[in-house]
């Protein structure tokens, strides 16, 4: 991050570290007037996995057969480099550009995501600093650079459900209550429930169990409780409050004795077609001669936090086929083209008459 700050400082950016609980966050801004276009991303990466399975050192960038290998090459150090080079080229060509440019970088996206981008957005909100457009560098392409742009993400709502029974000897079931048996009909109903039909921008909401834990480990003991972890990935057609209410109504209807703890990981967000989406489509068309597809699929991203203070948020990055995998890589020639796309977006929004 200091390396990026050094490059941005040379371009006239004012760099401000907004750190919290050991997490390093950089807010860098050039200009003081609207509109403000922000590039956002993260410098942290997921663990490497077994080092011996990598074809080369995951933390030494290595080009083989036209591919750049290394942990974070696609997710998302490649995008960060493209952000910087795009901005350097744009400022050199348009030193008196309209509006302002900002960088929002965190080291806490792949982790708990509690002291990273959310800390910066809270600080910006407290001092009344508004972002008009935001481009997040998440790897969004499916088969080739530019084929997909994310203009929104689904929400994430998790629950830890404990269904209570009565522990007992398995040979005397009439003296016990098996919580697994009692929960099974409710689980079946929940798994078959149509939560919503989605809409023009989002697929239908889904509910999935991720873990079930119950019992003592012995084969002759009926457990006293079963713990079920589950998750909703929900669209803008539902609310977290509505999903919670419907699920608990099902549990009560089945007569279960239960406790449940809810965690709202993310609310859904959507950027409708407008200035930023139009600029991204045109930039990809001009640079790559293809038409991009808008998508809201995939997991959560830090865009969910930025969307709280920015009305237009999109994600554009390299092909995501190898992210989080052994031998993560990105086509080396794609990064200059990605930089050119970012530069064209800057030109369309901050130098439209140049």
């Amino acid at each position: 991050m200091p390396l990026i700050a050094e490059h941005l400082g040379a371009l006239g950016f004012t760099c401000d570290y907004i750190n919290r609980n050991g997490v390093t966050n950089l807010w860098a801004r050039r200009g003081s007037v609207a509109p403000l276009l922000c590039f956002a991303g993260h410098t942290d990466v997921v663990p490497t996995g077994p080092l011996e399975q990598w074809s080369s050192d995951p933390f030494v960038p290595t080009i083989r057969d036209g591919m750049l290998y290394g942990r974070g090459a696609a997710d998302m150090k490649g995008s960060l480099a493209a952000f910087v080079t795009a901005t350097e080229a744009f400022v050199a060509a348009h030193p008196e550009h309209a509006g302002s440019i900002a960088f929002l970088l965190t080291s806490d996206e792949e982790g708990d995501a509690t002291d990273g981008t959310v800390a910066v957005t809270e600080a910006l909100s407290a001092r009344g600093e508004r972002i008009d457009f935001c481009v997040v560098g998440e790897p969004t392409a499916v088969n080739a650079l530019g084929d997909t742009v994310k203009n929104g993400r689904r929400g994430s709502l998790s629950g830890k459900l404990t269904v209570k029974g009565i522990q007992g000897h398995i040979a005397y079931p009439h003296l016990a209550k098996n919580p697994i048996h009692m929960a099974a009909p409710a689980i079946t109903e929940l798994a078959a429930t149509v939560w919503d039909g989605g809409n023009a921008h989002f697929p239908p909401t889904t509910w999935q169990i991720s873990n079930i834990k119950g019992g003592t480990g012995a084969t002759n003991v009926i457990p006293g409780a079963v713990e079920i972890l589950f998750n909703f990935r929900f669209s803008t057609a539902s609310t977290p409050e509505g999903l919670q209410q419907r699920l608990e109504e099902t549990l009560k209807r089945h007569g279960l004795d239960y406790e449940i703890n809810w965690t709202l990981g993310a609310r859904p967000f959507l950027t409708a077609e407008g200035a930023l989406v139009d600029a991204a489509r045109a930039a990809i068309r001009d640079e790559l001669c293809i038409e991009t597809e808008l998508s809201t699929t995939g997991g959560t991203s830090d865009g969910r936090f930025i969307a709280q203070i920015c009305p237009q948020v999109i994600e554009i990055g390299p092909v995501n086929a190898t992210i989080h995998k052994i031998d993560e890589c990105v086509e080396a020639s794609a990064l200059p083209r990605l930089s050119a796309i970012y530069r064209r977006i800057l030109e369309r929004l901050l130098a439209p008459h140049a």
Side-chain angles (χ1 to χ4, degrees):
M1 208 174 291
L3 178 62
I4 294 177
E6 181 181 342
H7 278 267
L8 297 179
L11 297 175
F13 281 76
T14 298
C15 296
D16 180 16
Y17 285 98
I18 304 175
N19 301 339
R20 191 166 77 182
N21 293 331
V23 174
T24 300
N25 304 302
L26 174 66
W27 173 251
R29 178 166 180 163
R30 185 182 197 272
S32 59
V33 297
L36 171 60
L37 187 152
C38 175
F39 289 121
H42 60 91
T43 60
D44 58 322
V45 296
V46 297
T48 62
L51 289 174
E52 66 275 10
Q53 294 184 19
W54 282 75
S55 300
S56 56
D57 189 326
F59 294 113
V60 176
T62 305
I63 295 179
R64 297 192 306 275
D65 301 321
M67 304 298 291
L68 172 63
Y69 289 83
R71 176 57 83 222
D75 187 16
M76 56 175 286
K77 295 180 184 294
S79 296
L80 299 187
F83 283 161
V84 174
T85 55
T87 303
E88 288 174 336
F90 175 75
V91 170
H94 310 283
E96 304 299 325
H97 62 80
S100 305
I101 309 171
F103 278 63
L104 193 169
L105 305 181
T106 182
S107 60
D108 183 37
E109 196 272 349
E110 300 289 8
D112 294 334
T114 55
D115 296 301
T117 297
V118 65
V120 180
T121 57
E122 287 174 358
L124 296 178
S125 180
R127 64 196 194 197
E129 202 162 352
R130 172 187 171 88
I131 302 173
D132 297 287
F133 310 113
C134 184
V135 178
V136 184
E138 289 290 342
T140 57
V142 178
N143 298 306
L145 178 67
D147 64 7
T148 305
V149 168
K150 303 284 188 182
N151 67 321
R153 294 277 187 166
R154 293 176 295 175
S156 175
L157 175 65
S158 297
K160 178 181 177 180
L161 169 66
T162 301
V163 177
K164 303 174 186 178
I166 298 177
Q167 182 174 314
H169 197 295
I170 208 162
Y172 302 95
H174 60 288
L175 300 178
K177 288 184 179 180
N178 193 318
I180 298 176
H181 292 185
M182 294 189 300
I187 291 173
T188 299
E189 181 175 337
L190 291 169
T193 297
V194 176
W195 302 96
D196 60 49
N199 53 38
H201 303 286
F202 289 92
T205 292
T206 61
W207 180 80
Q208 291 290 318
I209 290 175
S210 57
N211 285 274
I212 296 181
K213 181 174 68 176
T216 64
T219 60
N220 62 349
V221 178
I222 293 172
V226 60
E227 180 182 281
I228 300 167
L229 305 182
F230 61 85
N231 178 266
F232 285 102
R233 291 301 165 108
F234 64 100
S235 74
T236 51
S238 289
T239 66
E241 296 79 13
L243 294 173
Q244 291 177 26
Q245 180 180 349
R246 291 178 62 188
L247 184 137
E248 294 205 42
E249 286 174 350
T250 300
L251 300 179
K252 292 173 182 176
R253 190 169 63 253
H254 284 270
L256 298 181
D257 181 9
Y258 71 91
E259 293 180 355
I260 190 166
N261 294 314
W262 293 97
T263 302
L264 179 60
R267 290 184 180 272
F269 72 91
L270 177 71
T271 295
E273 296 191 32
L276 183 56
V277 168
D278 290 347
R281 279 176 159 164
I284 292 170
R285 185 185 307 117
D286 293 345
E287 186 63 31
L288 304 176
C289 299
I290 63 172
E291 295 296 329
T292 193
E293 177 183 347
L294 298 179
S295 172
T296 60
T297 59
T300 60
S301 76
D302 274 2
R304 68 190 189 274
F305 304 125
I306 301 168
Q308 302 303 308
I309 63 168
C310 177
Q312 299 187 52
V313 180
I314 62 173
E315 302 172 20
I316 307 174
V319 173
N320 57 26
T322 65
I323 60 174
H324 295 204
K325 292 184 177 181
I326 301 293
D327 279 349
E328 179 181 352
C329 60
V330 62
E331 186 179 355
S333 63
L335 296 181
R337 287 180 288 157
L338 180 60
S339 176
I341 290 170
Y342 294 151
R343 176 180 54 78
R344 288 178 183 272
I345 292 174
L346 283 166
E347 289 172 345
R348 286 188 169 269
L349 293 175
L350 302 186
H353 305 298

